[in-house]
Amino acid sequence: MRCLKKSLLLSAVCIILSGGVAGHAQAENTLRFSNKGDAPTFDPHALNTQDTLMATIQVYDGLVMRNPEMEIVPGLAVSWTNIDPNTWEFRLRENVRFHDGSDFDADDVIFSINRALSETSQMQGYLNSIETVKKVDDHTVRLITKGPNPILLDQLVNVFMMDKEWSEEHGVERPQNFKDQEETFAVRNANGTGAFKLESREPDIETVYVRNPDWWGSETYDHNIDRVVWRPISNLATRVAALLSNEVDLVIDPPLQDLARIDNYPELNVLSTSQIRTIFLGLDVGRDELRNSSVTGENPFQDVRVREAIYRAINIIAIREKIMRGLSMPAGMLIEPPINGYNADWDNNRLEYDPERAAELLQEAGYPDGFTVRLDCPNDRYINDEAICQAVVGMLGRIGIQVNLNSQPKSKHFPLITGRDTDFYMLGWGIPTMDSGFIFDYLFHSDGSWNASGYGTPQLNAKIEKIRSVIDKEERDLLIAEIWEQIVAEMPYIPLHHQMVTWAASSDLNIPVEPNNMPRFYWANFN
Amino acid sequence: MANFIVTRILQSAAVMFFVALICFCLFRYVGDPIVNMVGQETTIEDMEALRQSLGLDKPVLVQFAHFIAGALQGEFGISYRLQRPVSELIAERLPATLELVFVSAIIALTLGISGGLLTGIKRNAWYSRLVLALSLVGVSLPTFVVGILLIYLFAVTLNWLPSFGRGQVVDIGWWSTGLLTVSGWKAIILPAVTLALYQTTLILRIVRAEMLEVRRTDFIKFAWARGLAPRSVYFNHALRNTLIPVITVTGLQIGSLIAFSIITETVFQWPGMGSLFIHAVQFADVPVMAAYLVLVALFFVLINLIVDLLYFAVDPRLRMSAGH
């Protein structure tokens, strides 16, 4: 005890002295952060969900990462080359240490990639093109792919590196298996190479990060955040109240109806940018008869005129003004500017809102009196999702299509889509790989796991499969453009809008708003 | 007596069994937990594999049998959302809820009894009418509205109290308490008042009604006739006789306080069992929901059992008939 007192006294003296020299004592900068809910786990390979990624990216690094402009930049790998189309050689950063002090080297990369490929990992999807990982020397590894993979780097962004020795010591060589019925060490503990160390974690209550002074990226990403205290608040009104009463500095999901009020506070700012997530309506064009419709014996959605009528009946500007409070970008495509394959001409040339033309189209298609159909809609997934669906119901009613709205929580809604048990549904899609191939695989290939539209032909499937392995960028981009041209014309999905990311922050805090709605605390600075 | 207790315990076990059974039949309507456990990029095959490893592909009755078998050994499985053992989660959250309930019960009893006495004794005074009118507000306003109003007044406008959380807690063994720190006390005031409001008005109205009743009885008139001081008449004679129904009601209300705390905990982000349950419902986290509901059933059953036993001790007639 006496020793402790002495050392405290000494350090106090030191602080005073150094303060005297520097002219002022540096106060600790604590960023108090809040959002709707907590991350389920800190195991970087267990779950591939947004919350988990956001929680772990502060602590762990990948071989490559994205900068605030969403471009791929070096992470734990300083450079990479394609020795041949199937072999990627990565040169690893030297003198990098994990938070517990051990060195980062090629063995950790091999271990982490194999861990992320193991059966209980949800990261397999990013890595399933990888055949093996080989060590060349302590700071060089080779990734051998099963075939040419043009988007390997994009996929590696979300695969974080763990320490082999630490994982073995704590028995977490594999992500948690739910069969085991017990908590593994990596759920509440973390040992990465990242910008912040995980200091304490109480799920749902408080998670504290502290600055990692030895982070390799400190020079590139100069930040002055010493601590981050993350306390989730599930109630919307309470979250806003905590912000207004200066109990938190950053909220990444403020309700749209409160933004004007938040902006009126001089000590608060509203920040926004276009999000990588487009909201659209899916139509089942595959079946010969719809499940819940007055039309029997045929499927009205198979007629492109009916799809165009629905498209033209939706007044997206009204939805933007009345429901989204101006915070959405009407969409003509299902992808956003940073995604490879985006074409502003198509996106900006959304079909005009024209209810008269829509009614005519319905008549031409043989449904002068319209028909009834059920719209399945989530009510806790996207920004104002249920309100948008209600508006769509009213707008389609005006051209004679009577829509019965079935809105329910996402845990009830999504099984309808993955189980292909819906005629007409709302869905939103974001692209972690920043490449159109991702959305083609899931939504346009006839085997796509989220393709409840039944859309897809053997020719289209063949093109989509080809894109997965064409390395030549020009040829690949041409194929992507061909597919989008077909989709924009045939409208199997009716685009609504691109969501906007909106954050509310203390005006002392500078932080770039991320299109994937994932704040990076090491890009933040307090004034 | 022993016979009575054994019968009651057996009945209680049956009640809990049926609560669990009904819960399990309802769980399939809350949605598919798998959707919340995977990212959108997961393939259907992987989702099926996860479903199998969780045993969710089996019929409801088989899942129920597994649950009962586990529960009998004190094993409630692992939370789908937090990936931690449910028994551990509940043990962590229990102190927060019980402290909140304890503080609001004290508030409700203190304000309720004193308010009831005031309005019962000075029934025509303007302040009695005011208190009664306010108590109507307390009965009719829903908890979440009261909570939000208090937050806007005391946290946002006046900046006196925190709008959410539990403040700093101190661990005493496995029990974490917020009642030993200043920030803990500051944090508990708003949620405790919110939760206590309804119970306060209930107790206030019971005490007032009883007081008016007792004042008309012969022994109070006799006390006046003996020339006792008003203080002695009201507190020594009248109050004692009004408290019997209050004690009964309070006992039963403790159970509802625990159950009602769900809404209060959600509004104030109070890290108790109620908010754990709400998150579990949103996520379709079946193990947590099942364990919570069975536990709340256990609380109700236990409180009822204790109340029954108290009657047994208090009422000589019950003891006589059981003796035969």
Side-chain angles (χ1 to χ4, degrees):
Chain A
M1 195 61 211
R2 187 171 290 166
C3 284
L4 183 69
K5 265 187 190 160
K6 217 179 220 172
S7 67
L8 276 177
L9 192 68
L10 262 180
S11 55
V13 170
C14 281
I15 289 168
I16 291 166
L17 281 180
S18 66
V21 172
H24 62 91
Q26 191 73 46
E28 198 177 60
N29 284 325
T30 302
L31 169 56
R32 297 160 303 167
F33 167 64
S34 186
N35 68 338
K36 184 177 177 203
D38 207 351
T41 174
F42 261 73
D43 188 324
H45 305 143
L47 298 179
N48 181 19
T49 60
Q50 173 87 6
D51 312 334
T52 316
L53 273 176
M54 181 179 76
T56 49
I57 202 166
Q58 323 293 345
V59 178
Y60 288 102
D61 296 312
L63 290 178
V64 292
M65 58 189 281
R66 285 188 196 283
N67 65 9
E69 287 74 46
M70 292 286 120
E71 297 152 353
I72 301 257
V73 292
L76 288 174
V78 281
S79 62
W80 47 88
T81 46
N82 262 118
I83 294 177
D84 63 60
N86 292 344
T87 309
W88 295 69
E89 185 169 291
F90 289 85
R91 183 92 202 125
L92 303 181
R93 199 175 286 275
E94 295 188 23
N95 301 321
V96 171
R97 284 175 196 284
F98 285 97
H99 296 157
D100 69 352
S102 54
D103 285 319
F104 163 76
D105 57 28
D107 290 327
D108 297 315
V109 176
I110 295 169
F111 168 78
S112 300
I113 288 181
N114 285 326
R115 188 178 191 272
L117 271 167
S118 63
E119 204 183 308
T120 53
S121 159
Q122 280 189 20
M123 295 296 168
Q124 296 166 60
Y126 291 130
L127 297 174
N128 50 20
S129 69
I130 290 178
E131 177 92 52
T132 52
V133 195
K134 281 187 190 155
K135 177 176 173 176
V136 178
D137 61 48
D138 272 356
H139 290 97
T140 314
V141 288
R142 280 187 189 167
L143 266 58
I144 321 286
T145 55
K146 292 170 190 160
N149 179 3
I151 56 161
L152 183 70
L153 292 177
D154 301 286
Q155 293 175 327
L156 285 176
V157 165
N158 292 331
V159 179
F160 298 141
M161 296 297 129
M162 291 176 80
D163 185 13
K164 183 170 181 246
E165 288 75 26
W166 181 84
S167 305
E168 284 166 355
E169 186 189 332
H170 294 103
V172 288
E173 295 98 326
R174 297 277 169 274
Q176 174 153 32
N177 186 345
F178 277 91
K179 260 187 193 155
D180 296 344
Q181 298 278 306
E182 60 186 30
E183 177 182 5
T184 66
F185 190 74
V187 170
R188 276 190 291 163
N189 296 279
N191 179 35
T193 54
F196 290 91
K197 300 178 186 180
L198 179 63
E199 187 185 72
S200 68
R201 167 132 178 100
E202 290 173 86
D204 283 347
I205 303 171
E206 188 178 270
T207 298
V208 180
Y209 300 96
V210 290
R211 184 188 188 128
N212 172 12
D214 307 320
W215 186 42
W216 57 266
S218 292
E219 277 176 28
T220 330
Y221 306 103
D222 184 27
H223 71 91
N224 66 0
I225 309 296
D226 301 305
R227 286 171 85 77
V228 178
V229 180
W230 174 11
R231 299 169 78 190
I233 305 175
S234 51
N235 186 293
L236 275 178
T238 314
R239 200 153 67 236
V240 174
L243 188 73
L244 297 182
S245 57
N246 190 27
E247 289 169 80
V248 297
D249 301 308
L250 174 65
V251 165
I252 58 164
D253 39 17
L256 296 186
Q257 66 268 22
D258 288 330
L259 290 178
R261 196 152 60 98
I262 293 171
D263 219 12
N264 276 338
Y265 274 67
E267 59 271 26
L268 293 174
N269 277 339
V270 170
L271 317 163
S272 70
T273 190
S274 144
Q275 188 177 2
I276 303 179
R277 172 153 280 131
T278 300
I279 309 298
F280 53 88
L281 300 175
L283 303 159
D284 189 341
V285 297
R287 282 168 72 100
D288 294 331
E289 187 180 297
L290 294 178
R291 301 159 188 84
N292 299 293
S293 169
S294 58
V295 181
T296 50
E298 57 182 359
N299 176 355
F301 291 159
Q302 283 180 339
D303 191 324
V304 72
R305 287 170 298 190
V306 174
R307 305 205 288 271
E308 188 181 334
I310 293 175
Y311 195 146
R312 287 191 181 277
I314 294 171
N315 185 350
I316 200 68
I317 302 298
I319 290 179
R320 176 190 149 101
E321 299 310 321
K322 300 285 180 248
I323 298 172
M324 305 303 287
R325 317 253 167 170
L327 286 166
S328 68
M329 323 256 277
M333 274 182 102
L334 303 185
I335 54 174
E336 311 74 28
I339 309 293
N340 183 36
Y342 178 81
N343 183 331
D345 287 343
W346 287 329
D347 193 35
N348 298 336
N349 284 323
R350 199 192 141 79
L351 292 187
E352 290 279 319
Y353 165 61
D354 188 347
E356 285 84 39
R357 176 79 192 117
E360 273 172 38
L361 281 162
L362 268 190
Q363 195 150 18
E364 284 169 26
Y367 304 99
D369 303 321
F371 51 88
T372 68
V373 67
R374 189 179 88 185
L375 172 61
D376 295 307
C377 183
N379 59 18
D380 60 352
R381 180 62 190 89
Y382 310 112
I383 302 172
N384 292 341
D385 40 15
E386 190 176 18
I388 298 168
C389 286
Q390 285 164 344
V392 166
V393 169
M395 291 166 183
L396 293 185
R398 288 185 53 195
I399 62 163
I401 301 179
Q402 246 190 41
V403 183
N404 302 312
L405 182 58
N406 174 35
S407 81
Q408 47 189 358
K410 61 177 188 287
S411 44
K412 301 279 285 177
H413 177 69
F414 285 159
L416 294 180
I417 297 176
T418 53
R420 299 198 177 193
D421 190 20
T422 170
D423 296 331
F424 189 25
Y425 56 94
M426 173 187 264
L427 183 62
W429 202 257
I431 300 182
T433 58
M434 304 287 156
D435 185 85
S436 289
F438 185 85
I439 193 169
F440 293 160
D441 283 344
Y442 286 98
L443 296 183
F444 295 102
H445 194 285
S446 35
D447 294 335
S449 52
W450 286 75
N451 180 4
S453 72
Y455 183 72
T457 56
Q459 295 93 315
L460 183 66
N461 289 349
K463 274 188 197 169
I464 292 173
E465 282 157 26
K466 196 169 172 203
I467 285 176
R468 291 177 195 159
S469 58
V470 175
I471 283 274
D472 183 71
K473 183 155 169 52
E474 218 167 291
E475 186 190 348
R476 191 166 180 275
D477 286 353
L478 216 65
L479 271 170
I480 290 176
E482 266 177 44
I483 295 182
W484 278 119
E485 191 176 1
Q486 178 184 344
I487 290 164
V488 168
E490 295 192 350
M491 300 170 275
Y493 298 100
I494 293 168
L496 294 177
H497 53 236
H498 308 304
Q499 274 189 179
M500 302 276 288
V501 178
T502 315
W503 296 354
S506 148
S507 42
D508 287 338
L509 181 69
N510 295 315
I511 184 166
V513 189
E514 293 305 304
N516 52 10
N517 205 17
M518 209 184 322
R520 240 54 86 76
F521 302 133
Y522 46 84
W523 289 340
N525 267 295
F526 271 110
N527 288 339
Chain B
M1 176 82 179
N3 213 348
F4 173 81
I5 294 177
V6 170
T7 324
R8 287 307 309 241
I9 288 176
L10 284 180
Q11 283 172 354
S12 308
V15 167
M16 287 172 61
F17 177 82
F18 282 108
V19 167
L21 182 63
I22 293 168
C23 295
F24 259 81
C25 297
L26 291 177
F27 284 157
R28 58 177 141 160
Y29 298 106
V30 284
D32 184 0
I34 305 291
V35 171
N36 297 302
M37 294 170 72
V38 299
Q40 63 182 12
E41 299 82 22
T42 313
T43 60
I44 305 284
E45 293 75 40
D46 287 346
M47 287 167 80
E48 281 314 309
L50 182 59
R51 193 185 308 282
Q52 271 176 18
S53 79
L54 292 172
L56 286 171
D57 53 334
K58 304 206 174 72
V60 177
L61 281 179
V62 177
Q63 290 181 40
F64 178 64
H66 275 279
F67 171 76
I68 292 292
L72 287 177
Q73 300 160 29
E75 185 57 61
F76 289 95
I78 186 160
S79 157
Y80 299 162
R81 186 173 68 93
L82 295 169
Q83 316 209 348
R84 300 180 54 204
V86 175
S87 40
E88 206 180 297
L89 283 173
I90 289 192
E92 263 176 36
R93 302 301 189 86
L94 191 63
T97 298
L98 290 186
E99 281 186 359
L100 179 63
V101 166
F102 173 73
V103 173
S104 24
I106 303 248
I107 296 177
L109 279 176
T110 324
L111 292 183
I113 292 176
S114 47
L117 280 176
L118 184 78
T119 50
I121 295 168
K122 306 274 182 194
R123 57 182 302 191
N124 290 321
W126 65 268
Y127 44 82
S128 295
R129 289 171 193 275
L130 182 72
V131 169
L132 276 181
L134 283 179
S135 78
L136 261 185
V137 176
V139 186
S140 45
L141 271 187
T143 319
F144 64 92
V145 175
V146 175
I148 295 290
L149 284 177
L150 289 178
I151 288 177
Y152 271 81
L153 183 60
F154 290 100
V156 177
T157 314
L158 297 171
N159 241 317
W160 289 351
L161 299 168
S163 56
F164 72 104
R166 206 181 163 203
Q168 204 184 342
V169 293
V170 178
D171 288 331
I172 305 171
W174 61 274
W175 185 280
S176 72
T177 179
L179 301 181
L180 294 176
T181 59
V182 176
S183 67
W185 274 103
K186 275 182 149 181
I188 207 170
I189 294 175
L190 292 184
V193 167
T194 308
L195 187 57
L197 198 63
Y198 179 81
Q199 318 292 337
T200 308
T201 48
L202 188 72
I203 293 173
L204 187 147
R205 284 170 170 266
I206 293 175
V207 171
R208 176 176 176 274
E210 285 293 319
M211 200 68 191
L212 294 177
E213 187 89 355
V214 170
R215 280 178 68 179
R216 285 199 292 272
T217 56
D218 289 344
F219 79 96
I220 295 294
K221 286 181 187 159
F222 181 63
W224 286 123
R226 279 159 66 204
L228 294 178
R231 218 183 121 92
S232 173
V233 175
Y234 288 132
F235 292 93
N236 289 347
H237 294 83
L239 177 61
R240 278 193 189 179
N241 282 282
T242 61
L243 283 187
I244 296 159
V246 172
I247 289 165
T248 317
V249 169
T250 310
L252 291 175
Q253 288 294 319
I254 298 274
S256 352
L257 274 179
I258 294 173
F260 269 129
S261 72
I262 290 180
I263 299 166
T264 311
E265 286 184 11
T266 315
V267 171
F268 290 95
Q269 192 66 25
W270 189 260
M273 291 193 306
S275 60
L276 182 70
F277 176 69
I278 284 289
H279 282 130
V281 172
Q282 286 160 353
F283 198 92
D285 192 347
V286 172
V288 172
M289 284 192 285
Y292 173 85
L293 290 172
V294 170
L295 188 69
V296 168
L298 176 71
F299 278 132
F300 270 94
V301 159
L302 275 183
I303 290 168
N304 269 313
L305 186 66
I306 292 168
V307 168
D308 281 350
L309 290 177
L310 278 179
Y311 282 158
F312 210 78
V314 167
D315 194 331
R317 285 165 300 180
L318 268 174
R319 243 173 305 168
M320 296 279 284
S321 61
H324 291 295

